Amino acid sequence: MSALSVTDISRNFEGVQALANVSFEVAPGERRLIIGPNGAGKTTLFNILAGSYAASSGRVALFGRDITHLPAYARARLGLSRTFQITNLFFRLTVLENVLLALQAGNTTASPVLRLLRQDRALLAQADALLARWELSEHAGHAAQDISYGQQRQLDILLAMAVAPKVLLLDEPTAGLSAAEVPRVKAILRSLARDTTVLMIEHDMDVAFELADRITVLHQGRLLAEGNVEAIRNNPQVTEIYLGSD
Amino acid sequence: MTFWLIQALNGISYGMLLFLLASGLSLIFGVMKILNLTHGSFYLLGGYFGLVVLQETGSFILAVLGASLAIALIGIVIERFFLRRFHLQQLPQVLVTFGFLFIFSDIATVIWGANPQTMPRPELFAGSLQFAGFYYPTYRLFIIGFGLCVAAFLWWLQDGTRVGAMLRASVDNEEIARALGINVSLLFTLVFGLGAFLAALGGVMGGPILGVYPGADFEVLLLGFVVVIIGGLGSLKGALFGGLVVGLLDNFGKVFFPELALFTIFAPMALILAIRPAGLFGRE
Amino acid sequence: MRAADANSSVKSRGIAALFILTVLVLAVLPDLLSTYYLGLVIEILIFALFAMSLDLLIGYTGMASLGHAAYFGVAAYAVGLLAIKLHWSVWSALPAALIIVAAVATLFGLLALRTRGSYFLMITLALSQVAWGIAFGWRSLTGGDDGLPNLPRPELAAHWSLAGDRPFYFFILLLEGAGVLLLTRLATSPFGFALRGIRESETRMQALGYDVWRYKFAAFIVAAVFAGLAGALYAYYNRFVSPDYLGVFRSAEVLLMVILGGAGTLIGPAIGAAVIVLLENLVSAYTERWLIVIGTIYILVALFAPNGIIGFIRDFRARRAKS
């Protein structure tokens, strides 16, 4: 069974066709890279997968379960997590609180009522460990709006990963990072266990080709090509519209 | 039949006053994203100012123009010195406009007392018109015609002029409007002044049929809200349609269910909210 | 981390000490104050709870309600009608009033939560005016403008009346204290934490798996019920209910208390309530023009203290720590 199965997805914005009949399957544990020039519909696709927009038509299934009509939060509970292209954090809360909110969402140890009322101290230890791993410990007490842009981008990824997702959607995970920060994020992504399936939009081709198992190429809202890294590298159509133009 | 016709005309003429009020509310919101709670004061003070000018000069036209322009000026001062600095900050805007609503309400009571004041109709429209076998006050018909003229003017302003094009550009995207060289700051001031002018216009025009009385500021503010909730904030069409609907509902509600008059307005409002939260003509 | 732990334990010990001190002071107040000043303290307690309940919406969840007095007033009318017309005791009237408030808030919440931003402001104000319109218009039930006079002071049991100032003060203090503790507990719980997350970013909360609508709905009802508790107690205190209880002025006043004190801090709105209640009593000794005074305060707060008294203190401390 596919981790994610996308069938005939289309989306119109006031007459503009952002996505047209896109279909593809992602196998469990796969690292799938989505590429395409600006305006190809990559972020629109992510928003439809995550439930931020509804598709005009088509179907999305997560491990065989139809999620086309589920709201975003219900998809998240089924194990679909995402990062945001425009950094989306709890800006006036501290970095630690940001992480705690993410951990609290996935906390299922207590009964629902108790979960609403009682702070779980185990979460704090978990949060500390995560922050240490991302080298954000010294900023734990700072408001998220006060840390550097690169750190905010990393916190965005951290939140998406903290809920222990089955399928993780990463929207340009290394955009905006300093040269020193890129290797750490790459290492963390590389070490991500194979029980998490990853879909990633990425412009940095070094990062992208190194991590990806297979690549899906979108162009003007349509699926142009799909294959492994070698096949896409050698696809003349892709070279022409995408790699060549860069 | 005659009963229904008279009541309907009463409702429509009242609806036109509400349109004047709500179009200003809607315009200010559409362009500046300010929910102007002082709007009710502009209406009430417009009525009192009109009364003063009328008593001094005896001219209804001067009363309408003088009062509305004076209120527009007050609006401009409030916008320039108090609201300008809180661009897109909702809570401070609420505090400032609430503050002026209370201050003006109290000042009006100090100056004009707690008793309702009556305003004479202009001589030209003092009589009644006979048609289809019944008499109907000319002044109410005049209000309906006047409201339609204002609506037509606003439409022309919005769709047919350069100022209107600038307005629409600012509504759609303020930054692009600035980049195009539109003086957004001046535009905001003018829009707030025009909104205040329209509310005051409603206050003076309504004086001869409704009187001018303490508490009218809160009353019409609320009805103005209902109008734009039904019609959609920022939409001229919505303000006109909403105004007429609320005017009719209010009128028939008071006739048939005097104890629960507000209910006849709020039940449809709740219904529209449930179906279209942004109002009938509003944008999401 | 250890330093932070030690720091927070010092802090929480400080808060505990402050709390005990407050309780002690409040307990001896009836022996120190005249009836008039004791009445002022009761008013402050009631409006503090009212303002704190609104803070749960404004400061925590980021939903600015302009019609919060609706719940204050509905509960006041509920206990008033139940006690006067049906002779219910406080033990049945008070819980019944809170249930009625919860029901009204459920209905209003379903409507208001379909909107956000300026629409939410308008709808909450409009809905509260519906309640006001009913209280004002339905004379046969509510007495209209004249209100409901002669509400008896509650009796805890046969021959155990709270008619005296002292017992009544302790009755209010007890219920208020319980309300404040519960509200504070809720605000600092994972539930309150999630509300703060919603205030910051609804889309991120959804992406993490929080059912944002449900949290907002729950917050709306909880805030209404605590406002209702304050309103019911105010009715017992005044022995009178009128349409003013749910008017737009009350809603605006409690909004001012929240912002003047400092939204999102709970203690701030309580301070704001104390300031406004005291000021109103002081000013009304000199002039009838309270509206002009309070209107000016609205504008001054917006201009000079947008983060409230608590924010002011924080800024001051931060500046001193820097220099």
Side-chain angles (χ1 to χ4, degrees):
Chain A
M1 194 200 314
S2 301
L4 196 65
S5 136
V6 176
T7 319
D8 253 352
I9 286 288
S10 299
R11 167 77 203 203
N12 295 305
F13 287 108
E14 293 173 12
V16 181
Q17 184 95 355
L19 282 177
N21 304 97
V22 172
S23 301
F24 60 91
E25 307 267 327
V26 183
E30 192 186 317
R31 270 74 177 123
R32 171 68 59 94
L33 177 67
I34 314 271
I35 61 171
N38 280 335
K42 300 175 304 262
T43 294
T44 304
L45 174 69
F46 265 30
N47 280 328
I48 287 172
L49 295 181
S52 302
Y53 308 153
S56 306
S57 65
R59 182 173 175 275
V60 183
L62 188 70
F63 294 102
R65 180 174 172 171
D66 187 347
I67 59 166
T68 315
H69 301 291
L70 286 186
Y73 78 87
R75 297 180 193 212
R77 283 191 193 165
L78 290 175
L80 182 69
S81 183
R82 68 166 311 182
T83 66
F84 288 82
Q85 190 185 30
I86 298 163
T87 314
N88 190 345
L89 301 171
F90 308 111
F91 282 106
R92 285 184 297 173
L93 304 186
T94 66
V95 171
L96 177 65
E97 285 174 323
N98 271 265
V99 180
L100 282 174
L101 266 178
L103 291 173
Q104 183 181 296
N107 177 21
T108 49
T109 51
S111 79
V113 178
L114 282 183
R115 227 186 306 145
L116 284 182
L117 293 176
R118 195 184 296 153
Q119 224 46 273
D120 190 342
R121 290 201 69 87
L123 295 186
L124 203 60
Q126 239 178 306
D128 282 340
L130 277 173
L131 287 174
R133 170 119 202 258
W134 288 79
E135 294 176 32
L136 286 169
S137 296
E138 59 174 313
H139 299 293
H142 295 164
Q145 63 192 2
D146 296 334
I147 59 179
S148 76
Y149 182 68
Q151 287 165 335
Q152 288 177 349
R153 292 298 303 166
Q154 292 177 70
L155 184 56
D156 199 299
I157 304 172
L158 193 168
L159 295 188
M161 289 175 57
V163 295
K166 294 198 188 98
V167 174
L168 178 60
L169 309 179
L170 297 170
D171 201 340
E172 301 193 33
T174 62
L177 297 186
S178 70
E181 289 165 331
V182 173
R184 177 167 62 246
V185 172
K186 251 162 73 171
I188 289 173
L189 293 181
R190 214 181 296 122
S191 69
L192 198 61
R194 279 281 165 173
D195 47 14
T196 303
T197 308
V198 179
L199 269 77
M200 176 168 58
I201 298 172
E202 183 56 72
H203 285 304
D204 183 334
M205 287 305 139
D206 291 342
V207 176
F209 285 163
E210 187 189 329
L211 291 170
D213 298 322
R214 289 176 70 80
I215 300 177
T216 297
V217 186
L218 291 180
H219 182 49
Q220 294 179 345
R222 289 173 192 282
L223 193 129
L224 185 78
E226 190 182 311
N228 61 26
V229 175
E230 273 315 297
I232 295 299
R233 258 196 224 274
N234 300 326
N235 184 323
Q237 252 185 314
V238 175
T239 320
E240 188 190 332
I241 66 116
Y242 192 74
L243 299 178
S245 68
D246 241 25
Chain B
M1 188 58 216
T2 309
F3 164 81
W4 287 97
L5 201 58
I6 288 179
Q7 291 305 334
L9 282 172
N10 284 349
I12 291 172
S13 52
Y14 188 41
M16 280 299 172
L17 294 176
L18 291 177
F19 160 70
L20 291 177
L21 181 90
S23 61
L25 198 63
S26 200
L27 183 72
I28 291 172
F29 180 83
V31 178
M32 311 167 70
K33 303 285 169 282
I34 292 175
L35 184 64
N36 178 28
L37 296 161
T38 318
H39 216 65
S41 312
F42 293 157
Y43 173 95
L44 180 67
L45 291 183
Y48 279 126
F49 282 18
L51 209 58
V52 171
V53 179
L54 191 61
Q55 278 159 358
E56 294 298 318
T57 67
S59 158
F60 190 73
I61 297 177
L62 275 183
V64 169
L65 281 179
S68 303
L69 283 174
I71 298 296
L73 205 63
I74 292 178
I76 285 173
V77 169
I78 292 178
E79 197 279 328
R80 274 276 146 170
F81 296 104
F82 295 94
L83 287 172
R84 170 59 47 90
R85 62 187 80 208
F86 297 127
H87 187 45
L88 296 183
Q89 292 174 264
Q90 195 181 51
L91 278 179
Q93 287 171 358
V94 165
L95 286 181
V96 168
T97 55
F98 249 142
F100 279 111
L101 176 65
F102 291 140
I103 292 174
F104 286 143
S105 154
D106 221 16
I107 289 179
T109 316
V110 173
I111 299 178
W112 290 283
N115 294 322
Q117 314 262 329
T118 51
M119 192 191 282
R121 291 179 210 170
E123 255 168 57
L124 186 59
F125 303 107
S128 292
L129 211 64
Q130 188 191 9
F131 64 94
F134 70 94
Y135 288 93
Y136 194 77
T138 330
Y139 184 70
R140 279 189 180 262
L141 294 174
F142 166 66
I143 288 182
I144 297 175
F146 183 81
L148 288 175
C149 289
V150 172
F153 169 76
L154 289 175
W155 243 289
W156 170 76
L157 189 72
Q158 182 182 288
D159 291 342
T161 66
R162 229 180 99 71
V163 176
M166 291 183 190
L167 279 181
R168 275 176 287 133
S170 314
V171 171
D172 286 340
N173 193 323
E174 200 190 309
E175 268 167 45
I176 291 181
R178 275 185 214 279
L180 287 175
I182 296 174
N183 186 342
V184 176
S185 160
L186 181 67
L187 201 64
F188 278 6
T189 305
L190 291 179
V191 161
F192 204 84
L194 178 60
F197 184 90
L198 288 167
L201 210 54
V204 193
M205 298 291 296
I209 51 175
L210 302 170
V212 188
Y213 53 94
D217 40 1
F218 290 89
E219 200 179 308
V220 297
L221 177 66
L222 182 74
L223 289 175
F225 281 179
V226 177
V227 169
V228 294
I229 289 169
I230 289 178
L233 262 174
S235 157
L236 196 55
K237 219 187 295 174
L240 183 58
F241 180 81
L244 292 177
V245 168
V246 174
L248 286 167
L249 284 173
D250 184 67
N251 201 65
F252 281 106
K254 277 181 181 146
V255 173
F256 292 114
F257 317 102
E259 275 216 321
L260 298 173
L262 275 176
F263 233 74
T264 51
I265 301 172
F266 285 107
M269 181 194 83
L271 191 73
I272 284 176
L273 263 181
I275 305 166
R276 277 191 65 104
L280 290 177
F281 301 96
R283 288 196 296 189
E284 257 319 319
Chain C
M1 201 61 228
R2 195 166 298 157
D5 256 3
N7 202 345
S8 78
S9 98
V10 166
K11 204 171 161 192
S12 67
R13 228 176 292 159
I15 289 173
L18 194 69
F19 180 76
I20 292 169
L21 192 72
T22 312
V23 169
L24 281 176
V25 169
L26 286 171
V28 298
L29 276 184
D31 298 313
L32 303 176
L33 297 179
S34 67
T35 307
Y36 172 77
Y37 286 106
L38 200 60
L40 268 185
V41 174
I42 290 177
E43 275 196 42
I44 289 173
L45 287 173
I46 288 172
F47 282 101
L49 179 62
F50 187 24
M52 288 166 90
S53 76
L54 180 60
D55 195 27
L56 195 67
L57 290 186
I58 293 184
Y60 280 79
T61 325
M63 300 192 288
S65 165
L66 294 191
H68 206 51
Y71 314 105
F72 184 85
V74 163
Y77 269 101
V79 291
L81 289 170
L82 291 173
I84 294 171
K85 307 231 160 166
L86 301 178
H87 306 290
W88 283 26
S89 81
V90 59
W91 298 119
S92 33
L94 192 57
L98 297 185
I99 291 170
I100 290 169
V101 165
V104 171
T106 303
L107 180 68
F108 284 8
L110 284 173
L111 287 171
L113 287 177
R114 291 188 56 77
T115 64
R116 57 186 63 234
S118 297
Y119 276 90
F120 187 80
L121 296 176
M122 286 196 297
I123 306 281
T124 47
L125 183 61
L127 288 173
S128 77
Q129 286 302 101
V130 178
W132 180 85
I134 293 172
F136 190 82
W138 197 352
R139 295 195 68 87
S140 51
L141 182 72
T142 63
D145 212 7
D146 302 331
L148 293 172
N150 300 326
L151 177 63
R153 279 274 159 92
E155 258 182 30
L156 291 189
H159 310 299
W160 192 12
S161 160
L162 294 178
D165 288 332
R166 244 180 99 96
F168 183 70
Y169 169 78
F170 282 111
F171 164 76
I172 295 268
L173 188 59
L174 213 66
L175 283 176
E176 284 286 320
V180 168
L181 278 181
L182 210 61
L183 194 59
T184 313
R185 183 81 189 86
L186 215 57
T188 51
S189 74
F191 173 73
F193 190 28
L195 295 184
R196 285 164 66 211
I198 289 169
R199 180 192 72 199
E200 295 297 308
S201 170
E202 288 191 22
T203 48
R204 176 54 97 170
M205 286 299 276
Q206 261 152 355
L208 290 174
Y210 289 92
D211 185 346
V212 166
W213 185 88
R214 224 185 261 219
Y215 275 90
K216 283 162 82 171
F217 189 49
F220 196 87
I221 294 172
V222 167
V225 169
F226 282 102
L229 177 59
L233 295 180
Y234 197 53
Y236 278 125
Y237 165 68
N238 267 345
R239 310 185 55 198
F240 171 70
V241 186
S242 77
D244 286 349
Y245 275 54
L246 19 73
V248 56
F249 183 73
R250 275 258 180 269
S251 290
E253 194 180 47
V254 68
L255 179 79
L256 177 65
M257 290 170 179
V258 170
I259 299 174
L260 171 65
T265 60
L266 281 188
I267 180 75
I271 296 171
V275 171
I276 296 293
V277 168
L278 291 175
L279 207 62
E280 181 165 9
N281 273 276
L282 192 72
V283 170
S284 60
Y286 298 98
T287 168
E288 299 251 292
R289 306 269 69 90
W290 172 237
L291 275 182
I292 291 182
V293 176
I294 200 172
T296 311
I297 298 175
Y298 279 90
I299 295 166
L300 291 178
V301 167
L303 291 178
F304 301 113
N307 297 319
I309 294 170
I310 294 286
F312 204 75
I313 295 172
R314 268 190 200 150
D315 289 351
F316 179 74
R317 270 192 179 162
R319 227 174 300 143
R320 215 175 47 174
K322 251 182 207 162
S323 63

